[in-house]
Amino acid sequence: VELSCIIKSTVTPVPRIEWKKIRNGETSYVYFDNKMQGDFATRAEILSRTSLVIKNTTRMDTATYRCEVAAPSDTKTIDEINIQLTVQ
């Protein structure tokens, strides 16, 4: 599955991008400090700097995924998007 976090415009040369997983009220890192975290390290990757690709998804991956972008040089310095993923 591919989850996309599209950045429309930024003047910050390299904005900081983080992906988080929110499930049952618990938040955990998926992509932080430029690397995959936890079990995502072996089955996920970042494409085009912003899209999260999760391989071999299972029902345990059903959650809300949050993409957070920090661009300190921009007018809007931080923004986020939530994507609900449901694996049948």
Side-chain angles (χ1 to χ4, degrees):
V1 67
E2 181 176 346
L3 307 177
S4 294
C5 180
I6 298 168
I7 300 172
K8 290 184 179 175
S9 67
T10 179
V11 294
T12 303
V14 183
R16 180 175 50 82
I17 299 168
E18 295 176 358
W19 281 92
K20 297 177 181 175
K21 176 182 175 181
I22 305 160
R23 181 180 165 103
N24 300 327
E26 306 243 340
T27 303
S28 59
Y29 281 108
V30 175
Y31 181 73
F32 176 74
D33 200 20
N34 293 317
K35 60 182 173 260
M36 291 296 165
Q37 304 294 313
D39 72 321
F40 290 100
T42 58
R43 61 188 190 93
E45 64 182 322
I46 296 293
L47 289 182
S48 303
R49 210 168 57 99
T50 57
S51 292
L52 173 66
V53 176
I54 305 170
K55 301 170 189 166
N56 303 317
T57 54
T58 69
R59 288 187 186 136
M60 292 300 294
D61 293 316
T62 295
T64 299
Y65 289 82
R66 178 181 295 151
C67 174
E68 296 178 358
V69 179
S73 300
D74 287 56
T75 306
K76 189 170 189 179
T77 58
I78 192 159
D79 205 356
E80 64 184 41
I81 185 172
N82 290 323
I83 302 168
Q84 180 63 46
L85 174 65
T86 303
V87 181
Q88 298 291 328

